[in-house]
Amino acid sequence: MESDSTITAILADLENNPHSPISPQTLKTLQTLIDQITATDDQDEITTFWDEISAKGVPLTRLINPIVGAMDSGQTQLGILGSKLYLSLILCDGSPRLSIFNPVGFGSLLRVICRYLKNKEVGRGRDSGERRDSGLGRGRGRGKGKGNMRRVSGGLEEEEEEEGGGVIEFDISLFFDVMERLELVLDLVHLCRFPDSLKSLVHTVAEIPVLGMERCGGGSVQYKRLCEICSGILAKVIRPEHGEVESTIAEVLKSLLPLIFLVKSQARTFALGFVTRQLIILAKGLDAVNKGMVNIPRYLAQKAPERSEARASAVESIIEIVKLMEFEDQLGFVDYVLKMTEGKTNLRLLAVDLIPMLIISVNNPSDMDLDEEVVDSWKVRCMGALIKRCSDAVAGIRARALSNLSQLVSNMSSNARDRSVLKRAMEFEYGKSGNTDQGLNDLIRKRCMDEKAVVRKAALLLITKLMSVGDGFDGEVLKMMGMACSDPLVSIRKAAISALSEAFKSFSNRSVITEWLHSVPRLITDSETSIQEECENLFLELVLDRVFRAGTGQLSNRPVICSSYFNQDALDKELETRYPNGVLVVLKEVSNGEVAPWIKKICSSLGKKKKLKHRVATALQDMIRTSESIWLNHSMPINKWTAPHGTWLLLSEVSLFLPQAVDWEFLLHHWQLLDNAGQARESVSRHQEHRNKGVDSMGLDSIAWANDRVLLLQTISRVSVELPPEPAADLASNLLKRLEECDMHLTEVNAHVQALKMLCKRKALNPEEGETLVRRWVDMLLAKALNITQQYLSEDPDANSSSVFATPVTSGCKTSRRTAPISKSQSRAITAVYTIGSTVIVCPSTDLKDIVPVLYSIITSGSQESRSNNITGSTFSIKEKCPSLYIQAWLTMGKICLADGNLAKRYIPLFVQELEKSDCAALRNNIIVTMADFCVRYTALIDCYIAKITKCLRDPCELVRRQTFTLLSRLLQMDYVKWRGVLFLRFLLSLVDESEKIRQLADFLFGTILKAKAPLLAYNSFVEAVFVLNDCHSHMGHSSSQSSQVENKLFSIRGNDDQSRSKRMHIYVSLLKQMAPEHLLATFAKVCAEILAAASDGMLTIEDHTGQAVLQDAFQILMSKEIKIPTSRGGASDGGDADEEGGDGAGTPAATDAARGRFITQAVKKSLIQNTIPIFIELKRLLESKNNPLIGSLMECLRVLLKDYKNEIEDFLVADKQLQKELLYDMQKYEAAKARSTAATEATAAAALNRQASYMSPGVCPSAAVPGVDGPNVPKKKHNDPRVVSAMADEAAASKARSVLREVNLGISTPPLSSMSVPRLKSSRRIAAQPAATGDVVCSNILEYLRRRQSFGSEDDD
């Protein structure tokens, strides 16, 4: 028989090599024989096979050991073939399975499976072929070689290993055969007797999906088949016949845990699918499996990683498992998560991520007949816990809680029941204070001011989402959102814009609209292009589209109710009913002086991009017509009507790009109306002023009409291209006539001049003719204005006081709050001088030889030289008699100098001189603006006067300071002025200016603009700033300054009082925040070297109060937390800003941050040892020798610097043992005092709880009545620090002693021992029964204790 001869040959080979692994040929022959026997399924042949082996007298171990040896040989191909044969022998019917199976052979089988997947020499078909062609097979020749044998198996070509170690191909069909046989073996062999083999099998099968991704390719059909086989093996392992189900499930879950936490991996899909499909099926029949399923989410929660992506994967896996559990088990897990919110940092962070997913994913069962409030109570508790975590001590947890709360609000706002749950949660958390809305507003306000940027961003996102369920926010929250629009971080600014815009869409009240218009439009000048585009789109949507909808939706046929009490307020109320949604408020705020410049920039940008629509201009014209119609329908005089605020401003800006959309008849009608009514108003105003009635009200009304006329003229000039020629000529003639009269508001002059210029160009046939027409009327107008000015200067000032009129402008001087009455000729002279300046801007090439001497005589009229000047014939001081004319003369002279460079060289010193000595704030403000224009036009001429200009940063008038700061900041950004000399040091004082607006501008300049434009400026000037701010002249950089002593005091904050020190520290902290970590380290070294070392060497005099202040500031700087370099040690507690731009990243960024942190730590430590500590030792000796009080500050600074190196202090201070002992003593004393403070605080809180507990209902938590005390934490909190425990015991003992002494002083008798809970004492009889010697010892001990007893005094008696 052929099988007999085969068996004989196999056994002979085994006998010849008893201690060697089975040969490949023998192994294949035996495998073929087993496959043939198994395929025939003939029971007699199977029995004959095993009988023949038994008849040969060969022990079974003689057959099995060589197969196990082949698996352990290290040859991958031989090992996998041996594994297949080993499993085939076990599966063969009639085989002695229990004799063949042993833990050693089974372990070898599992190792071969892993090695077959891991071995890099086993490549896939295409890759291995490429390797052979690329050089691994070079030098052998094609088809040659001893072991070069090929066969085809399972559709893949396989190459066996060669003697020299070659490349073989991965045979997927062979691997699947082994895995399928392994699964079948588990039905025949029970592993309950082999727990180690069971554990190894579970770990190997859990590892196979990860290893198989590279071999089979994730997502392929072969990989899916591999995962199905692994799932089947794990499912069979959990059966009771393989051991205890609970322990097996724990082992399976432990092995699958790394797979479940993988991110974007097919292996994670396999592991999670096994838990959610296979285990769920097994749980229905086995209680042990069901119990394990309940504990799986909790186990995953305990083992979840901290990195954001892995944590998110863990949360998703936990939720998928929880969704398949019973509702009671789900509630149990919810309670577990709520307990996690009070646990460690990583557990709190995970719980914050789990809570929103639980609320969204877990649905209440429909078959439970319970009240909605009872069913939803778990959601309320979860929401309350999440809201509480918004105030967590860790910034990362606060940010995640706020973000997740935003997500919940967004998902729950669409359902009425969910909204009720949200409101109940708010009441549950903040109901103790009695005001839910106020509590929520306080939370948002605090988080908007958080020190961490990621928390501020999350708070703004929460505000955006809360708009759909809330009733609005208080003014403080709106102010916080407006301030966030100027945040240094781009992401924060974007979030603030989104939140404030969402509030604008949801609430149309005045406060929201005002805050939006004062915060968002100004970002049109932001450095980030995306923010500029967002600003434009929002303005288009929220302002222009709203105006269009209101203009087209007006009610045209409404009944008119005539009333004798109808006025401007009544008109506004009626217009509000016609134009709802706050349209009139929007338009009114658009015309605000602080908002209008940004609105103009936005409209200009939208117009250039052709985003402005004709319908907006049409709607604005309709609103003006409607307002006029309502006013006339009430039979009111037209000279008292004004259009809605902001309509003319917006129409003038839109008309520049939409001239066809503006009706010429509309413009002509309103120009005639405004011009005639304006003249009538002026006459009435003058008449009433002459009678001293209604001065203020008529003046303000006249200014409003003048502003409307100015904006109307701008609109006319911008649409002049579309005007008919004849009406344009008539209008130009009218405008020129008005200008020649010099009898109008100064605000109207520029508009008249610009409109006249545009109309002349429209009338001309070509540009040359237009320029000729402009020059002609300019010459005529200048001659007329010069004549009016000279007439006034030649008049007698005493004769002019007879006729009094109201001036259209105010001087702005400090001499009087009310404007002095002036004559008509004086008013015309002021307008004439202003007209000259406006005309020069329009036509710079005009002849000014007759005008300049007149203006010179006016601006120098206050000096002695001008008294003898006969150019104009003036015999009085213009500065004293007519300050308004004096101011306008300076302004006009500045415009002339801008047009003529030769004049500028002569007159710029006069401007600087007047800026220094003038006592009029309005004049100083105008000169500052003029000097800024000079700096742009004549940069080299102004450069030497920059130091004098910066003196206005300390001007007594806030307007002048703010104007100076703004203009210089713009010049610095455009590089017309450089950050050199004293400029930067003088700008520092704006950070602590009295004005809040100036402080905000300074914070934005230093925190945003300078940080990007000049990042090294703060570092290079830091030490010098310390000397300058203290007015100390011991620094070489400061001593070389040429500034006078008065200027030094003006730009310093001298003094050691708390206010001065706090201002200086605010400046230092602002500078430190702008520095990079390497600059912080260098600044630390510079402060030590240039201040502390200078003091120890005698270069800095510490006897002087300024030197002491510098040294004190240096100690405060070194102790500040801003100069400490962040080491990025990782973890949730240190990652406040880690997720700012997209999470805390994967392994590579984390490793980089860790390496960077270690490097910085070593650098700081090295700097302390080599530089800082020796300087402190020398300085301490110097201060001790002079008994200087700064020794206390030095020791405190040194304690703060070395508190992180307690174990290395002996190495640091090896040169000064006395300082070492003193410093250690100070540290121990400080920690003991801190522990006593903590113990006293907690003892006070506990006493308050105990006192109030007796007055409360049994169901009320005592901590609810104590603000700032967390109820669950007070009784449960335990301290592991022995210092705190000892301090708490001391505090309790002292409190008890004070209580006893207080009772003794009050004469309260001690209660009997029977009523007191005290330990029992031994009776005297028992003591008497003892020997005398023992009794004597006891008595002597008692007497000794009484002699040594200390007397305690009551602190209350002091």
Side-chain angles (χ1 to χ4, degrees):
M1 190 175 182
E2 184 180 356
S3 61
D4 295 339
S5 61
T6 304
I7 294 174
T8 302
I10 293 172
L11 295 178
D13 182 68
L14 295 176
E15 289 178 357
N16 294 332
N17 302 287
H19 302 293
S20 302
I22 190 172
S23 64
Q25 187 63 37
T26 305
L27 190 147
K28 292 180 180 180
T29 304
L30 183 56
Q31 181 66 54
T32 303
L33 179 62
I34 295 297
D35 291 342
Q36 292 175 355
I37 294 174
T38 306
T40 58
D41 199 15
D42 188 353
Q43 191 66 30
D44 295 337
E45 188 172 355
I46 295 173
T47 304
T48 303
F49 171 75
W50 291 108
D51 290 344
E52 288 180 359
I53 293 178
S54 178
K56 299 290 183 180
V58 179
L60 192 60
T61 56
R62 184 74 60 83
L63 176 64
I64 300 301
N65 289 342
I67 298 176
V68 175
M71 291 188 289
D72 291 336
S73 64
Q75 300 181 19
T76 308
Q77 189 69 18
L78 182 63
I80 196 68
L81 293 175
S83 301
K84 181 180 179 182
L85 178 59
Y86 181 77
L87 294 173
S88 299
L89 289 174
I90 296 176
L91 292 174
C92 185
D93 292 339
S95 65
R97 298 185 179 93
L98 297 180
S99 300
I100 297 175
F101 181 88
N102 62 81
V104 177
F106 192 71
S108 301
L109 167 71
L110 298 177
R111 287 193 294 273
V112 168
I113 292 175
C114 290
R115 190 166 62 247
Y116 191 65
L117 290 173
K118 290 180 180 179
N119 197 346
K120 296 182 178 180
E121 294 182 355
V122 182
R124 300 181 68 180
R126 182 177 303 173
D127 297 337
S128 60
E130 291 176 356
R131 292 192 191 100
R132 286 196 303 273
D133 295 340
S134 62
L136 285 175
R138 291 178 183 175
R140 290 196 301 252
R142 194 170 221 176
K144 298 179 181 181
K146 184 175 179 180
N148 200 12
M149 181 176 58
R150 296 176 181 270
R151 71 182 178 87
V152 177
S153 175
L156 291 176
E157 187 178 305
E158 177 184 339
E159 183 179 354
E160 295 183 358
E161 294 181 357
E162 298 179 349
E163 290 181 354
V167 177
I168 62 174
E169 294 180 1
F170 180 76
D171 191 347
I172 189 66
S173 61
L174 175 61
F175 184 75
F176 281 157
D177 287 343
V178 174
M179 295 299 297
E180 289 172 351
R181 281 170 165 71
L182 178 60
E183 184 179 1
L184 294 175
V185 164
L186 294 178
D187 294 330
L188 304 176
V189 179
H190 299 162
L191 300 178
C192 56
R193 296 181 300 165
F194 312 104
D196 293 337
S197 299
L198 177 65
K199 185 181 297 185
S200 300
L201 175 63
V202 170
H203 286 287
T204 302
V205 174
E207 191 178 2
I208 286 175
V210 180
L211 301 175
M213 290 181 61
E214 183 179 356
R215 295 296 184 186
C216 304
S220 63
V221 177
Q222 294 174 348
Y223 185 78
K224 292 180 180 178
R225 182 183 174 190
L226 179 63
C227 292
E228 291 175 358
I229 295 175
C230 294
S231 298
I233 294 174
L234 292 179
K236 289 183 178 181
V237 163
I238 298 176
R239 292 177 181 175
E241 55 264 25
H242 292 289
E244 294 183 1
V245 178
E246 293 87 347
S247 60
T248 306
I249 289 180
E251 198 64 39
V252 170
L253 183 61
K254 183 179 179 181
S255 303
L256 294 178
L257 187 65
L259 279 68
I260 293 177
F261 291 153
L262 291 176
V263 180
K264 298 178 182 179
S265 174
Q266 293 294 328
R268 175 182 176 273
T269 305
F270 152 74
L272 194 59
F274 173 77
V275 175
T276 56
R277 289 193 293 269
Q278 298 287 344
L279 288 185
I280 287 296
I281 296 175
L282 295 174
K284 295 180 179 179
L286 297 173
D287 293 338
V289 178
N290 189 22
K291 186 182 298 184
M293 281 292 298
V294 173
N295 293 325
I296 285 176
R298 305 184 183 189
Y299 182 74
L300 293 177
Q302 289 289 336
K303 301 296 182 180
E306 292 189 25
R307 292 191 300 114
S308 60
E309 292 185 357
R311 187 177 68 247
S313 178
V315 170
E316 183 180 352
S317 303
I318 292 172
I319 295 301
E320 288 190 20
I321 297 172
V322 170
K323 287 193 295 186
L324 300 174
M325 296 164 55
E326 298 294 334
F327 184 67
E328 292 79 5
D329 298 331
Q330 292 174 344
L331 292 183
F333 181 71
V334 167
D335 294 335
Y336 182 80
V337 172
L338 292 178
K339 293 179 181 178
M340 287 171 56
T341 59
E342 303 292 340
K344 296 181 179 179
T345 302
N346 61 327
L347 296 180
R348 298 202 308 272
L349 185 59
L350 183 65
V352 164
D353 287 339
L354 281 171
I355 286 176
M357 299 300 295
L358 287 172
I359 295 177
I360 295 173
S361 303
V362 177
N363 297 320
N364 296 326
S366 57
D367 55 347
M368 294 184 64
D369 188 14
L370 295 175
D371 187 14
E372 289 185 359
E373 293 189 0
V374 177
V375 175
D376 293 334
S377 61
W378 69 272
K379 293 185 178 181
V380 175
R381 290 187 291 119
C382 287
M383 290 286 293
L386 187 61
I387 294 173
K388 188 176 181 180
R389 287 305 104 205
C390 292
S391 300
D392 196 277
V394 180
I397 298 178
R398 294 198 301 270
R400 292 297 301 172
L402 290 167
S403 301
N404 293 333
L405 186 59
S406 305
Q407 178 187 357
L408 275 179
V409 170
S410 177
N411 292 331
M412 300 175 71
S413 60
S414 58
N415 187 285
R417 181 174 176 179
D418 290 339
R419 285 199 301 270
S420 65
V421 170
L422 181 60
K423 292 184 178 180
R424 285 172 55 198
M426 300 293 180
E427 295 173 358
F428 176 78
E429 185 62 27
Y430 296 111
K432 303 169 187 177
S433 61
N435 192 341
T436 303
D437 294 335
Q438 185 63 31
L440 181 61
N441 287 330
D442 290 341
L443 171 67
I444 294 175
R445 184 168 59 253
K446 291 177 181 178
R447 297 290 74 83
C448 285
M449 298 175 63
D450 198 278
E451 61 180 358
K452 294 294 183 179
V454 66
V455 180
R456 300 197 300 271
K457 181 179 179 181
L460 292 170
L461 179 62
L462 176 61
I463 293 174
T464 305
K465 301 301 181 181
L466 280 174
M467 298 298 173
S468 57
V469 295
D471 299 329
F473 298 94
D474 59 3
E476 289 295 326
V477 174
L478 289 173
K479 186 178 180 180
M480 292 299 105
M481 288 191 286
M483 293 174 61
C485 292
S486 301
D487 197 275
L489 292 178
V490 175
S491 58
I492 303 296
R493 296 202 295 275
K494 288 183 177 180
I497 293 172
S498 177
L500 206 52
S501 301
E502 193 65 30
F504 192 2
K505 296 175 185 177
S506 303
F507 310 104
S508 297
N509 52 8
R510 182 179 296 274
S511 59
V512 175
I513 294 174
T514 302
E515 190 63 41
W516 189 91
L517 287 171
H518 281 76
S519 302
V520 176
R522 66 175 60 247
L523 296 177
I524 190 62
T525 59
D526 195 271
S527 58
E528 183 67 22
T529 307
S530 59
I531 293 183
Q532 296 178 15
E533 295 176 353
E534 183 68 15
C535 182
E536 293 173 2
N537 295 333
L538 288 172
F539 183 81
L540 196 62
E541 175 187 357
L542 300 179
V543 177
L544 297 184
D545 288 350
R546 183 173 298 205
V547 169
F548 161 71
R549 291 193 299 269
T552 56
Q554 61 172 321
L555 304 176
S556 56
N557 297 321
R558 296 190 57 178
V560 177
I561 304 175
C562 297
S563 174
S564 57
Y565 299 102
F566 194 83
N567 54 14
Q568 187 65 39
D569 294 336
L571 175 63
D572 293 340
K573 291 181 181 179
E574 185 163 349
L575 287 174
E576 287 177 0
T577 61
R578 293 175 179 263
Y579 306 116
N581 299 325
V583 175
L584 294 181
V585 179
V586 171
L587 291 173
K588 184 175 182 180
E589 289 301 323
V590 161
S591 62
N592 187 285
E594 296 182 358
V595 179
W598 314 115
I599 301 300
K600 295 178 181 179
K601 288 182 179 293
I602 294 176
C603 291
S604 177
S605 179
L606 290 174
K608 293 176 182 178
K609 297 178 181 179
K610 299 182 179 180
K611 291 185 178 181
L612 293 176
K613 305 300 180 183
H614 289 70
R615 59 190 186 183
V616 177
T618 304
L620 289 170
Q621 295 175 75
D622 292 341
M623 294 180 70
I624 296 173
R625 290 192 185 101
T626 303
S627 175
E628 179 188 0
S629 175
I630 294 174
W631 186 266
L632 293 176
N633 288 339
H634 285 83
S635 302
M636 299 298 294
I638 194 61
N639 62 337
K640 294 185 178 181
W641 168 77
T642 56
H645 295 284
T647 50
W648 284 116
L649 172 64
L650 210 52
L651 183 61
S652 67
E653 298 301 324
V654 172
S655 63
L656 179 62
F657 304 95
L658 303 172
Q660 302 88 354
V662 183
D663 185 13
W664 162 244
E665 298 295 336
F666 168 81
L667 294 178
L668 182 60
H669 165 71
H670 283 88
W671 168 249
Q672 295 173 353
L673 178 66
L674 289 174
D675 192 33
N676 297 332
Q679 293 179 6
R681 279 190 171 220
E682 288 178 1
S683 62
V684 173
S685 175
R686 292 168 184 162
H687 179 66
Q688 292 190 356
E689 171 64 21
H690 184 67
R691 296 170 56 188
N692 294 326
K693 293 182 179 179
V695 177
D696 295 336
S697 60
M698 291 305 298
L700 293 177
D701 249 357
S702 298
I703 291 175
W705 271 74
N707 288 332
D708 285 350
R709 289 200 297 271
V710 168
L711 295 172
L712 178 56
L713 282 173
Q714 290 179 2
T715 307
I716 292 174
S717 63
R718 289 172 177 177
V719 302
S720 59
V721 180
E722 305 296 328
L723 297 182
E726 295 182 1
D730 295 339
L731 181 59
S733 176
N734 185 14
L735 295 178
L736 181 59
K737 186 182 299 184
R738 290 289 310 277
L739 285 171
E740 289 177 347
E741 294 176 357
C742 294
D743 192 15
M744 66 175 69
H745 237 285
L746 297 184
T747 55
E748 301 180 66
V749 174
N750 281 329
H752 279 71
V753 172
Q754 293 292 338
L756 185 56
K757 177 183 176 181
M758 296 300 298
L759 290 172
C760 288
K761 291 185 176 182
R762 174 71 181 92
K763 182 179 180 181
L765 299 178
N766 51 62
E768 291 76 12
E769 184 181 353
E771 292 296 334
T772 304
L773 290 176
V774 171
R775 181 181 291 272
R776 186 182 304 169
W777 67 258
V778 165
D779 293 338
M780 294 170 55
L781 185 59
L782 287 178
K784 186 68 174 178
L786 179 60
N787 185 26
I788 294 174
T789 305
Q790 290 177 335
Q791 286 182 2
Y792 170 72
L793 294 176
S794 61
E795 292 179 357
D796 183 6
D798 297 330
N800 291 333
S801 60
S802 58
S803 59
V804 179
F805 295 93
T807 177
V809 295
T810 57
S811 65
C813 296
K814 298 184 297 182
T815 56
S816 174
R817 287 184 63 90
R818 291 181 62 87
T819 304
I822 61 176
S823 64
K824 181 178 180 180
S825 60
Q826 183 178 341
S827 175
R828 293 185 65 198
I830 294 172
T831 307
V833 171
Y834 187 86
T835 304
I836 293 173
S838 300
T839 308
V840 170
I841 296 298
V842 171
C843 186
S845 60
T846 187
D847 186 13
L848 302 172
K849 63 180 180 180
D850 296 331
I851 297 177
V852 172
V854 176
L855 293 176
Y856 177 78
S857 65
I858 296 176
I859 63 177
T860 59
S861 62
S863 62
Q864 295 293 333
E865 298 177 359
S866 63
R867 300 304 176 93
S868 59
N869 192 347
N870 297 323
I871 296 177
T872 60
S874 59
T875 59
F876 59 93
S877 173
I878 303 297
K879 182 178 180 180
E880 298 175 359
K881 297 297 183 180
C882 185
S884 296
L885 180 60
Y886 185 74
I887 294 173
Q888 295 304 323
W890 278 103
L891 185 59
T892 301
M893 182 61 77
K895 295 176 181 179
I896 293 174
C897 291
L898 286 173
D900 190 343
N902 294 325
L903 287 175
K905 294 179 182 179
R906 295 168 52 192
Y907 286 98
I908 283 178
L910 287 179
F911 280 91
V912 177
Q913 180 182 355
E914 186 67 22
L915 179 65
E916 290 182 321
K917 70 178 184 179
S918 176
D919 59 349
C920 180
L923 179 57
R924 295 197 303 272
N925 184 70
N926 289 343
I927 293 179
I928 281 292
V929 176
T930 306
M931 296 297 289
D933 293 335
F934 287 164
C935 190
V936 176
R937 185 68 63 86
Y938 315 111
T939 307
L941 295 177
I942 299 298
D943 190 56
C944 59
Y945 298 111
I946 293 297
K948 297 183 179 295
I949 296 175
T950 55
K951 290 178 62 177
C952 291
L953 291 171
R954 303 296 288 171
D955 195 274
C957 178
E958 178 187 349
L959 177 61
V960 177
R961 296 200 306 273
R962 185 168 55 173
Q963 188 79 277
T964 305
F965 183 89
T966 305
L967 294 174
L968 286 177
S969 301
R970 292 178 181 175
L971 294 173
L972 288 164
Q973 293 180 60
M974 295 185 292
D975 289 331
Y976 286 108
V977 177
K978 302 296 183 182
W979 288 105
R980 58 170 176 252
V982 298
L983 184 59
F984 176 76
L985 300 174
R986 293 186 174 184
F987 257 80
L988 293 177
L989 273 77
S990 299
L991 290 167
V992 290
D993 195 272
E994 298 176 357
S995 171
E996 182 180 0
K997 292 184 178 180
I998 297 178
R999 292 197 302 269
Q1000 292 177 359
L1001 292 173
D1003 290 335
F1004 184 77
L1005 174 68
F1006 285 96
T1008 303
I1009 299 175
L1010 280 187
K1011 191 174 183 180
K1013 190 174 181 63
L1016 296 178
L1017 194 58
Y1019 163 68
N1020 292 331
S1021 305
F1022 187 83
V1023 175
E1024 186 179 3
V1026 177
F1027 285 90
V1028 171
L1029 292 176
N1030 286 283
D1031 195 19
C1032 181
H1033 303 275
S1034 299
H1035 188 261
M1036 67 174 73
H1038 186 49
S1039 60
S1040 62
S1041 175
Q1042 300 298 324
S1043 302
S1044 63
Q1045 187 175 2
V1046 177
E1047 291 183 358
N1048 292 337
K1049 292 183 179 180
L1050 185 65
F1051 288 95
S1052 65
I1053 311 176
R1054 303 183 59 177
N1056 284 325
D1057 57 291
D1058 294 339
Q1059 184 178 4
S1060 299
R1061 283 201 302 267
S1062 64
K1063 286 184 177 181
R1064 293 197 299 268
M1065 278 306 300
H1066 179 78
I1067 295 175
Y1068 301 148
V1069 168
S1070 300
L1071 294 180
L1072 292 173
K1073 287 181 178 179
Q1074 316 311 322
M1075 297 186 192
E1078 58 271 16
H1079 296 152
L1080 289 174
L1081 185 60
T1083 300
F1084 187 96
K1086 287 180 66 176
V1087 170
C1088 293
E1090 298 186 25
I1091 298 180
L1092 302 186
S1096 62
D1097 295 340
M1099 298 175 60
L1100 176 62
T1101 306
I1102 59 176
E1103 286 79 7
D1104 185 17
H1105 65 279
T1106 59
Q1108 292 183 3
V1110 169
L1111 198 57
Q1112 179 74 30
D1113 286 357
F1115 290 142
Q1116 294 294 328
I1117 291 168
L1118 296 179
M1119 287 190 295
S1120 64
K1121 64 179 182 179
E1122 286 76 16
I1123 204 172
K1124 293 183 179 179
I1125 304 173
T1127 56
S1128 300
R1129 297 177 181 175
S1133 59
D1134 300 329
D1137 293 338
D1139 297 333
E1140 174 60 24
E1141 300 295 342
D1144 49 9
T1148 301
T1152 304
D1153 291 342
R1156 177 175 175 271
R1158 289 191 297 270
F1159 172 77
I1160 292 176
T1161 302
Q1162 292 298 325
V1164 172
K1165 182 178 177 181
K1166 182 178 180 181
S1167 177
L1168 282 173
I1169 296 175
Q1170 296 182 355
N1171 303 322
T1172 307
I1173 298 300
I1175 294 174
F1176 270 87
I1177 292 175
E1178 293 298 326
L1179 184 59
K1180 176 177 178 292
R1181 292 172 181 172
L1182 176 65
L1183 295 177
E1184 287 178 343
S1185 64
K1186 297 186 177 183
N1187 293 326
N1188 196 294
L1190 290 177
I1191 186 67
S1193 300
L1194 182 144
M1195 294 298 295
E1196 178 67 14
C1197 178
L1198 197 57
R1199 183 194 65 77
V1200 172
L1201 293 179
L1202 298 180
K1203 68 178 181 180
D1204 295 332
Y1205 305 96
K1206 296 179 181 178
N1207 299 328
E1208 300 171 316
I1209 289 181
E1210 295 182 0
D1211 299 333
F1212 287 177
L1213 301 176
V1214 67
D1216 194 333
K1217 297 293 183 180
Q1218 181 64 26
L1219 178 61
Q1220 179 187 126
K1221 295 178 182 179
E1222 292 178 3
L1223 191 60
L1224 289 173
Y1225 175 77
D1226 288 346
M1227 287 185 174
Q1228 294 175 359
K1229 189 175 180 180
Y1230 174 80
E1231 292 175 355
K1234 185 177 180 180
R1236 284 194 298 270
S1237 176
T1238 303
T1241 302
E1242 295 186 356
T1244 303
L1249 289 175
N1250 294 332
R1251 285 195 301 269
Q1252 296 185 8
S1254 58
Y1255 300 102
M1256 294 184 180
S1257 302
V1260 179
C1261 178
S1263 63
V1266 183
V1269 178
D1270 191 1
N1273 288 337
V1274 172
K1276 297 179 182 180
K1277 189 172 183 179
K1278 298 181 180 179
H1279 291 283
N1280 296 324
D1281 191 349
R1283 292 187 297 268
V1284 178
V1285 175
S1286 176
M1288 293 179 67
D1290 294 343
E1291 182 67 23
S1295 176
K1296 188 67 176 178
R1298 287 194 297 269
S1299 176
V1300 172
L1301 290 174
R1302 190 181 301 109
E1303 293 179 355
V1304 171
N1305 294 333
L1306 294 176
I1308 301 176
S1309 60
T1310 304
L1313 292 176
S1314 59
S1315 63
M1316 299 173 62
S1317 177
V1318 295
R1320 294 186 178 182
L1321 301 177
K1322 295 180 180 180
S1323 64
S1324 59
R1325 298 177 182 178
R1326 189 172 301 175
I1327 296 177
Q1330 294 178 354
T1334 305
D1336 294 340
V1337 172
V1338 172
C1339 295
S1340 63
N1341 290 338
I1342 294 175
L1343 293 175
E1344 182 67 20
Y1345 168 75
L1346 292 175
R1347 278 195 298 268
R1348 295 182 178 181
R1349 187 183 61 179
Q1350 299 178 0
S1351 58
F1352 296 93
S1354 174
E1355 296 180 1
D1356 297 338
D1357 297 338
D1358 297 337

